[in-house]
Amino acid sequence: EAACSIGALHGTTDSRIIDGATRFGHNIGMAFQAHDDLLDATGEPEVMGKPAGLDSRNGKYTWLTLAYPVRILRRAREEGIRTARGAVTQYTDQARTFLDVLPPSESRTLLHALAVSLAGRRS
């Protein structure tokens, strides 16, 4: 969020653009974290370059453990995974809508592509 806000502040005084860039940064950051936590729970270790489940084994709070702290129930884990996937989609879509306030440009196109690629990453 801060990186997007600072970048916008450096480039313009238009409060609509600054606000849109800040909100884009917030939402893409939330989508990234939800997806990262989802990968930790469901990703392929060979692709990620680290063992799956490492965050929860190290006692780190993740999207899944915060949403569904009862880890012993398979159903709770599956619901947590569905919730995290929904959050990735929701935050990514929301982030993309905030790009609409930016004037058409290569930067806007690249930020849109970044949002889409982050949501689909596998490592």
Side-chain angles (χ1 to χ4, degrees), residues 3-107:
C4 291
S5 181
I6 291 167
L9 285 165
H10 182 70
T12 187
T13 58
D14 186 329
S15 61
R16 276 190 47 229
I17 293 175
I18 294 166
D19 184 59
T22 301
R23 290 174 186 254
F24 169 82
H26 171 80
N27 282 278
I28 204 63
M30 295 295 287
F32 178 91
Q33 189 59 57
H35 193 68
D36 190 64
D37 292 347
L38 184 60
L39 284 175
D40 182 66
T42 64
E44 301 169 35
E46 312 80 45
V47 175
M48 296 187 316
K50 67 176 187 173
L54 192 60
D55 288 344
S56 60
R57 279 196 303 277
N58 288 333
K60 293 184 179 179
Y61 292 111
T62 69
W63 198 276
L64 280 69
T65 59
L66 290 172
Y68 291 90
V70 181
R71 290 185 252 180
I72 54 174
L73 297 175
R74 180 181 171 98
R75 184 172 169 207
R77 182 180 183 278
E78 291 169 0
E79 185 62 27
I81 290 169
R82 273 195 298 280
T83 300
R85 284 188 178 133
V88 171
T89 300
Q90 176 188 351
Y91 281 115
T92 300
D93 290 348
Q94 190 68 27
R96 290 169 48 201
T97 65
F98 288 115
L99 292 176
D100 293 344
V101 300
L102 302 179
S105 65
E106 183 179 354
S107 297

